[in-house]
Each structure stands twice: as C-alpha cells, then as structure tokens.
Amino acid sequence: MKQINRRDFLKATSYAAAGLATSQVSAGNSASANNNASVIGLISPKLDIVKVAFIGVGQRGFGHVKHFCHLDGVEIKAICDPDQQVLDRAINYVTQQGITRPAAYSNGNYAYQEMLNRDDIDIVIISTPWSWHAPMAIDTMQSGKHAFVEVPLALSVEECWQIVNCSEQTQKHCMMMENVNYGRDELMVLNMVRQGLFGELLHGEAAYIHELRWQMKEFTQKTGSWRTFWHTKRNGNLYPTHGLGPVAQYMNINRGDRFDYLTSMSSPALGRQLYAQREFPAEHGRNQLKYINGDINTTLIKTVKGRTIMVQHDTTTPRPYSRHNLIQGTNGVFAGFPNRIAIEQGGSGNFHQWDTDMQPWYAKYEHPLWQRMGQEAQKNGGHGGMDFLMLWRMVYCLRNGQPLDQDVYDGASWSVINTLSEQSLNNRSNSITIPDFTRGAWQTAKPLAIVS
Ligand SMILES: NC(=O)c1ccc[n+]([C@@H]2O[C@H](COP(=O)([O-])OP(=O)(O)OC[C@H]3O[C@@H](n4cnc5c(N)ncnc54)[C@H](O)[C@@H]3O)[C@@H](O)[C@H]2O)c1
C-alpha cells in the first residue's frame, strides 16, 4: 500500500506559499493495486451536531462561514486564515450572530495544521487558493476529520490519487464542494434524465465561460491575487468542474459509466495581455507577465459507454456568462444560458424549435430536494441558493448517516480534466487516458438517487 508522500505535499505547499503553485508532485504509481476499501457510498457514524472548522475565509470561505451561521445542527469551532483582516471579519460576523466565538488561527501558512490537532472538529471546509487544496485535504483526513474542499479538488494526476488513497485509508469523506450540482435547473435536469425524458443520453456540453479579467486588478488579497498567475503557468482548462459536475451526474459518471479519454485544444492567448496593456501602465507587474493560457479552451471527453462531452473554459473574452449545461439524448435536448428544451415525444410536438417557457417543466420535473428546500435556499442565497442547499445537504447527510452526493472519486475525475487537458495540448491534442479513480467499482456503483 502506498503511503502518502508528505515531502511531495510540502513541496506543493511551498510553491503555494510563493503564490506560484505548480503542484507537479512526483509521478509515483499511486494507482497501483492496494488493499484500500472503496469509499463509494461511504456512510460515516451519524453526527448529532456537526462541529466545523474553516481553512481560508477570503471571498468564498467567508460566504461558507455566513451560511453555517444559519444552519441548524452545527457548531463553528475554529477558523484559520493567515490574513488577519479576513480572519477578523469572519470571527466578528460569527460573534455578531450571537454565536460563541470560534478559536482563531492566523500564524502563517501552516497554522491550519495546529488547528487540525484539535479533537473537537468533525469537518473542515477548505476554501484556499488551488495549490493548497490537496495538501490541506490530506492533512485534514489524516487528522481524523472529513474534508470538504473548494473546486478544483487537485491540480495533478498524482495529487488526485493521493487524495483518493488517503480517503480510502482513513475512511474519511473528501467531498469537492461542487455547488452547481445543487442549482435549481441542474437538479431539475437530473430529475428529467432519471425519468427518461431525453431517452438514452448521447452527448453533453459544459463550460465555465465567465469574464474575469477584472480580477487582474486584485493584487494582495482576493482571487485575482493568485489566480492571475495560473494564466501564466498552464495552458488548458483551468476550471472544469462547475459545468462538468452536473453533466457527469446526468451521465452517471463513476456510477455506471466513466470518463475514458480526452483531447484538448486552446485558442491563442491574447485577451489578458491586451487587457493589461489597456488597464495598467507599461511598467506595471501585470504587463511583465506572459499569459500563456489560451483564451478559449475546448476539451472533448469520451466515456466508456461512448458518450461525448464538450467542456469549455474561457475567463478572458468579453461575452455573457455560460456553463452551457446541455444534455442531448435520443428523445431530445435541454440547454442552459438561457434555458431551453426540445423534446420529440412528450414535448410541444415540434422539436425543431426551442421551448423557452420553463414554468410547465418546473411544475412537472422540479427536483424533490428543491421542492423541499428551494425557498429557504433562495432566501439564504449564494449563487441563487445552490451554495446554501449544498451546505445544508452536506450537514443533513452527516447528521442522518447518509452517503454524500459527491464522493472523492467524483472530485478527482472532474478535477483531473485540468491537468490532462494541458497534457493533451502539449502533445498536439492527442488523446490522453483519464484514470479510473474507482479502480473498476464504477461498474457496480449505483446511480445517484433522486433524494428529497
Ligand atoms: N464554488 C464556487 O462557486 C466558488 C466561487 C469562488 C471561489 N471558489 C473557490 O474557492 C477558493 C478560494 O477562492 P477565493 O475567491 O475565496 O480566494 P481568496 O483569495 O479570496 O481567499 C482565499 C483565502 O485563503 C487564505 N489562505 C491562503 N493560504 C492559506 C493557508 N496556508 N492557510 C489558511 N488560509 C490560507 C487567503 O489568505 C485568503 O483569505 C478557490 O479554490 C476558488 O476556486 C469557488
């Protein structure tokens, strides 16, 4: 059984500390046969109260803290962030809600390890820059806590295997918190798929198209202070999971089908340089960078069952937001942004035209979870309620002894597209095999249930 290589993670974290993470940990054979017990369908002992700690409370992590203040059955025990300003903001918000003051950890990049020594924490919410995700998730599970990690879960194939192995060895949950899977439309489409509305599934389209050049104006704090550098380090799909997660669940990926291989292409990388020239003085640091990530990346995934998925990434060009959210089957198609549907049998009768009136479809196919929790989710907000619903559902599963909706294999499979798209690009877009992180268990794993 391969042990977690701590030195590799320290190497990754030291890159992260420099703000220029590459996380190219050594290519060990973590996938080799081992005695690990699968964590598919993992049920951990019921928790009466879910005691939570947070690592990273910048923009995203602070949002999670706020939601946890309004969830039943949780206690916020500790918060860690080396940025004193954002740490104070989070602690103050908690105490202003009349909640007991959580312990604060701010002494440098490894203060989180001190926090993990506590024995009064059940789960840790990790919302740090990407390079920290893998080492922090591993450390969390090794300290006996469940890890809940922001997207993407990891940045290399090796990191993905290390996280999978660690979850199996510790039998701790490691969920990548793909909130988009809890969106109203995504849940409705999942319900439609399960009821066979689209017939046999053939093809999906997913994307993260979100103009974020403005983040280049964030220098010392906030997302752009570290994410900008990824555009100088890697050419590929830097952020695949928001679009891909829902499509993967529609297609029962890791639960009856799985990703087999991919091929990837990028357009020229022009937009960020042009933006820097337009928005910053010539001598500015943003004009000294070489932006290599193609403005539009298009990756095609083939599944073992022969289905195809197009995944796009574009955070640079001026265009409206989209995750595509398209699913095509033998009986029809749904597409998002804006929502539209065309069905042969059971639709308006004319599949040559889009039906854009969603109300009758919501009335018939609203997911039971959204029927139950949608109002509260929208009241609490977070990307239209999907953030609150995801956190509510995590807590619900932990308190009721139910498996989580997303497991470590999902997080690894959806995230690994990042590094594999780069590998394909560097090899004239030749196909790259996508690892089977379930080690064959996808063939017998049950599809995600339609829960209420
Ligand atoms: N799911 C979503 O919709 C969504 C939305 C936004 C961001 N995100 C993800 O959330 C994560 C954080 O993004 P953000 O926008 O909040 O960035 P951010 O820069 O605003 O926040 C990151 C925080 O992590 C802290 N941090 C850095 N190193 C740390 C360490 N060693 N220990 C403890 N804290 C550390 C920073 O001080 C900062 O406060 C990223 O992975 C991003 O992809 C997800």
Side-chain angles (χ1 to χ4, degrees), residues 439-451:
R439 299 184 183 90
W442 63 273
Q443 294 169 85
T444 48
K446 291 195 178 64
L448 190 69
I450 299 294
V451 295

Side-chain angles (χ1 to χ4, degrees), residues 404-417:
L404 299 170
D405 302 324
Q406 298 170 29
D407 60 27
V408 72
Y409 310 106
D410 297 322
S413 306
W414 306 349
S415 300
V416 81
I417 304 308

Side-chain angles (χ1 to χ4, degrees), residues 16 54-62 64 80-83 86-87 89 105 108-112 126-130 132-133 136 150-152 177-180 208 215 221-227 239 242 383 386-387 390:
F54 297 85
I55 309 177
V57 286
Q59 298 184 99
R60 184 67 178 159
F62 184 42
H64 291 321
C80 173
D81 196 307
D83 182 333
V86 300
L87 180 65
R89 177 181 64 176
Y105 294 82
N109 277 327
Y110 297 93
Y112 78 91
I126 299 167
S127 312
T128 48
W130 300 339
W132 285 101
H133 291 183
M136 287 172 170
E150 263 305 337
V151 302
M177 297 185 292
E178 187 38 83
N179 49 323
V180 174
Y208 188 66
Q215 290 184 340
Q221 281 182 317
K222 301 187 179 173
T223 327
S225 64
W226 51 271
R227 188 164 169 165
Y239 208 59
H242 283 331
H383 295 111
M386 61 171 71
D387 295 352
M390 172 182 70

